[in-house]
Amino acid sequence: MKFQLFRVIILLSFGAIVFQLFQLQIGSGDYYRRLADYNRFRLVADEGPRGVIYDRNGSILARNSPTYAIAILPADLPDDKAQRAIIYNRLSSLLKIPASARLAAGVTAPSGVPAPARFLAGQKSIEELVEEARSNPFAYLTLKSRVARETADIVEEQRLDLPGVYVLREATRTYLPGENMAHLLGYTGGIPADRLKDYEAQGYELNDRVGLSGVERIFESDLRGTQGRRLVEVDASGREIRTLASEPAEPGNNVVLTLDVNLQNAAVQALKAGLKRSGAKAGALIAMNPNNGELLAMVSWPSYDDNLFADGISADDYAALLQNPQLPLFNRAISGEYPLGSVFKIVPAAAALQENVIDARTGVVDSGVIWLPNKFYPDDQRLAQPFYGWARQGLGLMNVTSALAWSSDIFFYEISGGFQDLAGLGLERLAYYAQLFGFGVPTGIAVPGEAQGLVPNDRWKRLNYAQSWVTGDTYNMGIGQGFLLGTPLQMLNATAAVVNGGTLYKPQIARGLVDVSGRIVSQTQPEIIRQLPVSPQSLALVREGLRAVVTGGTAQAINLAAVQIAGKTGTAEFPGRRDSRGRLPTHAWFTAFAPYEHPEIALVVFVENGGEGSITAVPIAADFLKAYFHLPKDAPLVQDKTDVPVPGPQLNESPQAGAIVPYRPADAPPTYRVRVLAQE
């Protein structure tokens, strides 16, 4: 009986084994075969090379550099939690990434386990990253890019002790100009958490790198390569044995910029030298082809090295940038809104000529001050408000050309807000022309972060100050002060419109796209914002005034003998601590173009808290233009000024007929107006 029972047990056992074998091999064979294939075969993504960024002459500005990355494949990690913890702790000491959430929060590492003393604020731990990546366990999770060769070698040597950890070869971004062009080129980085869904909808994956600022962000879709895929067979340790099938990756398109890296470097050198001379800390220089809106150079200083951001900036470096009082991450060229000062005078000059408020023969005596009557008590001189010019002694008789040359505040007070028998432009027309010249709205440049500035009006003042607009506000606006604000790029664009005969272009930074074989994919065409409703004759008079600024006015220090330059200086007051003489601090401005007869370059120089434009900004422009025209640093100035054009009538009381008078003679008559003088 016992023997029979034993036979039954044996038969049942063999039956169970046969049944289980049947289930494994026949019933569930496909399932386990697929599971084995998942471990044996893998679909590996190959990143398409990112496009290269070139300057207008073909010099490389941003390229891909081979480097190493440390990654984890969640599927190959040990199932045992303790073993995974050992791996995470080892990687933490190598890569300076917290191993677990509690270490990321500052909890001391276990005894005997080395750990970094400090981690980046808000940085996720390796444990957290792996858990998030388990939804796709066969996709590599990059822990750190651009690791040192020594670190990569250590990981390879300890491969058997670090299952699931791999050294990947990848391309990282290198920016050759570094801080000289960081605000323009920008940088790449990981996908921001708040935009992950948007990028995933476009086919991006969690670990992809994208352009986060500058040209890298603007042309992200063009620079991005097409991802390739390989079906590979791996051994038990996850090493690739052979490639079974592949779909090659395709590189992204290359971007050719309008900028010239040599001019960019020259602009940086000129600006840095000027800042050092003046003791100022920050500024901007922008150069443009006024005939099509192409930018040739754009510098905001101080700057930063965008290579720091290419693959994740350290906590110390990022903190240093944020805490720098000079704001190196701030692009002053397009994002800074500043009072414009006298460089803005080209706008009321053109507007007053076009609106027939004045003509070439209209003269105003600048005696250094005008007294604006009180509108409620116009006959009570005690209530009149004084408006002073920058030259308290006065500049003598000014017409529009000489007023630009010597930057007569009195002249522009009167043509802007009116005085006595001259009506002036008034706020409405002055604001209208300011907007026509591009102030108060972004220029439309593709670089992110552009500010729009401010062209104020009566409604704006009522809403912000609960006060009515008065004539004095128009006076201040007419000389680029008061509530008016603009960016250096807006000022340059307005200058370019005067230079080219009245066409306001949208500033361009890219000439086009080319593919990896050099074939042109697309070309950028000049884009006109508007044609200014100002006659060629009026703009020609303004240009004459800008030439006189250099030949006999406030910018004679840039009157080079080798090339004719025209421009306008500006010294803009801004709220701040007054000096011992009660004067407010000032920004220094200079806008210019050359050659005068056939302009090919326009530029603007801005020095924050730089003092007087003629002293601080003009020498910077001179250094840059010498580099542009390949002139020596000691290029001579014009010595014989007998041919200096000083158009405009002068009163008989002036010391010399036909001359620009920098100071009012002691016996000059009081301020008054001569609308149209007999002599030319």
Side-chain angles (χ1 to χ4, degrees), residues 573-591:
E573 292 182 342
F574 65 94
R577 185 175 182 180
R578 295 180 181 270
D579 63 14
S580 59
R581 297 172 60 183
R583 297 175 301 186
L584 287 170
T586 56
H587 300 311
W589 288 88
F590 184 58
T591 185

Side-chain angles (χ1 to χ4, degrees), residues 193-214:
D194 58 343
R195 300 190 61 196
L196 180 58
K197 290 185 178 179
D198 294 335
Y199 276 103
E200 286 180 337
Q202 301 173 46
Y204 287 82
E205 296 181 357
L206 175 65
N207 294 315
D208 285 348
R209 309 194 74 78
V210 297
L212 296 178
S213 69

Side-chain angles (χ1 to χ4, degrees), residues 382-407:
R382 296 173 302 174
L383 298 179
Q385 182 179 359
F387 281 84
Y388 295 97
W390 67 267
R392 295 297 177 91
Q393 303 93 329
L395 295 171
L397 181 62
M398 298 278 107
N399 72 348
V400 64
T401 313
S402 57
L404 284 167
W406 281 100
S407 201

Side-chain angles (χ1 to χ4, degrees), residues 9-285:
I9 292 174
I10 292 176
L11 289 174
L12 289 175
S13 299
F14 274 105
I17 292 172
V18 170
F19 177 77
Q20 187 64 23
L21 288 174
F22 177 83
Q23 284 292 103
L24 290 173
Q25 296 183 23
I26 306 300
S28 303
D30 289 342
Y31 168 77
Y32 288 107
R33 191 178 299 109
R34 286 195 300 270
L35 192 62
D37 286 343
Y38 273 126
N39 291 324
R40 180 177 156 211
F41 302 117
R42 288 179 186 164
L43 192 61
V44 179
D46 289 332
E47 185 179 358
R50 193 171 180 84
V52 177
I53 302 175
Y54 296 94
D55 83 340
R56 66 187 298 117
N57 299 315
S59 297
I60 295 176
L61 304 177
R63 68 184 180 194
N64 304 309
S65 299
T67 187
Y68 297 97
I70 305 301
I72 283 179
L73 197 67
D76 289 344
L77 286 171
D79 293 331
D80 184 71
K81 187 175 181 179
Q83 291 180 336
R84 291 200 304 271
I86 294 173
I87 295 172
Y88 296 164
N89 286 325
R90 180 56 181 151
L91 290 175
S92 176
S93 64
L94 285 171
L95 305 180
K96 303 299 184 286
I97 301 174
S100 62
R102 64 193 187 94
L103 288 180
V107 179
T108 305
S111 177
V113 178
R118 181 196 299 178
F119 301 118
L120 186 64
Q123 185 177 17
K124 291 185 177 180
S125 67
I126 299 175
E127 183 181 43
E128 291 172 308
L129 292 171
V130 171
E131 289 304 313
E132 291 178 0
R134 285 197 178 277
S135 58
N136 190 3
F138 292 98
Y140 287 106
L141 167 66
T142 301
L143 295 179
K144 190 169 186 178
S145 297
R146 196 176 283 192
V147 298
R149 176 65 182 268
E150 294 77 10
T151 302
D153 290 342
I154 292 173
V155 173
E156 283 289 0
E157 290 171 0
Q158 301 180 8
R159 180 71 175 275
L160 296 178
D161 297 326
L162 298 172
V165 180
Y166 298 91
V167 176
L168 304 180
R169 288 174 175 82
E170 63 178 15
T172 59
R173 214 60 166 161
T174 298
Y175 303 102
L176 277 67
E179 59 184 358
N180 283 11
M181 207 178 281
H183 290 106
L184 270 170
L185 296 181
Y187 51 84
T188 59
I191 298 175
D194 58 343
R195 300 190 61 196
L196 180 58
K197 290 185 178 179
D198 294 335
Y199 276 103
E200 286 180 337
Q202 301 173 46
Y204 287 82
E205 296 181 357
L206 175 65
N207 294 315
D208 285 348
R209 309 194 74 78
V210 297
L212 296 178
S213 69
V215 172
E216 292 280 26
R217 176 178 172 181
I218 300 164
F219 295 98
E220 166 61 30
S221 60
D222 300 298
L223 290 166
R224 179 195 182 199
T226 302
Q227 194 177 68
R229 298 183 184 278
R230 291 182 297 120
L231 181 64
V232 300
E233 183 178 0
V234 299
D235 61 16
S237 63
R239 296 177 184 270
E240 292 185 16
I241 299 174
R242 57 175 175 157
T243 299
L244 303 176
S246 65
E247 180 181 314
E250 295 183 7
N253 289 321
N254 303 322
V255 177
V256 180
L257 301 183
T258 63
L259 289 97
D260 184 324
V261 69
N262 294 323
L263 283 180
Q264 183 78 7
N265 293 337
V268 171
Q269 293 174 7
L271 185 58
K272 288 174 67 176
L275 293 176
K276 184 177 181 180
R277 285 192 299 266
S278 65
K281 303 297 183 183
L285 191 160

Side-chain angles (χ1 to χ4, degrees), residues 526-545:
E527 187 174 338
I528 297 175
I529 298 175
R530 72 178 62 88
Q531 193 71 36
L532 301 181
V534 182
S535 70
Q537 295 78 12
S538 297
L539 292 175
L541 273 174
V542 176
R543 289 195 297 272
E544 286 181 18

